Amino acid sequence: MRLFLAIKLSKPMKDALINAQNELYDRGVRGNYTPEENLHLTLAFIGEYPAPEPVLEALAEASFAPFALSLEGLGRFGDLWWAGMRASPPLTALARRIRHALAEGNIPFDRKRFSPHITLLRKARGELPGVEPGEAAMTVDHFSLMRSDRGKNGMIYTELGQIPAEDTHI
Ligand code: 2AM
């Protein structure tokens, strides 16, 4: 199975992203827009791996406290266009801890530098206008182990497990 770790987004965050997608579409940008249910922020990409359990076990080491995430700006990697996040040291720290925990657990993952983004569309055709996703923020209190399957009409992402933040009230 093809696995990755991601932050699932709150409804207000998704609404802001959908508004940004609509604005791009209205300005004539065409491409493969990410459907609402697939919008997410990837923390690490594992790729083909036989089972979820060893990954969840390895991640028991990746403790983190809840933190805030907010949208900021649009950008592109070639024809993949994305929404960015306001600089967030806790987000960077979480991605680093996850990658460390995966390495310790001998779980393979893509070691490409973490570059937080939410893919809005692929195979984009047009020029990237100065569109801002609206103000939207959420609290991250868990992240998810996701499975990715190629469906008839695009990718299907299924949550296989959740890794909660530590309860900071204890
Ligand atoms: P992307 O949106 O920039 O393509 C599932 O494929 C998720 O894992 C996507 O969010 C994808 O990011 C991300 N990802 C990161 N590295 C990847 C890789 N090497 N191959 C496929 N997906 C990758």
Side-chain angles (χ1 to χ4, degrees):
M1 52 184 77
R2 199 175 162 89
L3 301 179
F4 64 103
L5 297 162
I7 294 172
K8 298 190 80 179
L9 305 172
S10 68
K11 179 77 170 104
M13 201 90 151
K14 286 192 170 190
D15 287 346
L17 294 165
I18 290 163
N19 283 341
Q21 287 179 322
N22 288 339
E23 201 168 331
L24 292 174
Y25 190 86
D26 289 346
R27 289 179 186 226
V29 176
R30 296 294 179 264
N32 298 340
Y33 282 84
T34 308
E36 174 171 1
E37 66 272 18
N38 282 1
L39 291 166
H40 67 273
L41 171 60
T42 296
L43 294 166
F45 181 78
I46 294 168
E48 279 303 323
Y49 197 74
E53 292 81 9
V55 180
L56 291 168
E57 273 165 35
L59 290 169
E61 302 298 317
S63 69
F64 69 106
F67 62 93
L69 199 61
S70 29
L71 295 177
E72 189 174 80
L74 296 190
R76 64 194 293 176
F77 301 142
D79 65 2
L80 184 157
W81 294 15
W82 44 261
M85 251 63 52
R86 190 159 303 152
S88 166
L91 174 64
T92 314
L94 175 59
R96 197 174 43 237
R97 281 203 204 109
I98 287 174
R99 286 156 188 244
H100 185 74
L102 293 175
E104 290 281 298
N106 288 319
I107 315 279
F109 62 97
D110 186 339
R111 292 175 186 255
K112 214 168 39 228
R113 193 180 131 80
F114 177 55
S115 161
H117 65 278
I118 299 165
T119 299
L120 293 180
L121 75 156
R122 298 168 199 275
K123 299 195 175 143
R125 297 186 300 281
E127 280 311 306
L128 184 65
V131 168
E132 263 296 315
E135 275 294 314
M138 63 178 275
T139 300
V140 179
D141 60 9
H142 70 278
F143 65 93
S144 304
L145 174 60
M146 306 294 295
R147 168 182 179 158
S148 158
D149 295 289
R150 192 171 291 281
K152 256 194 222 140
N153 302 309
M155 302 311 289
I156 299 167
Y157 299 142
T158 311
E159 188 179 57
L160 299 181
Q162 293 192 349
I163 298 87
E166 302 160 333
D167 188 342
T168 50
H169 300 293
I170 295 176

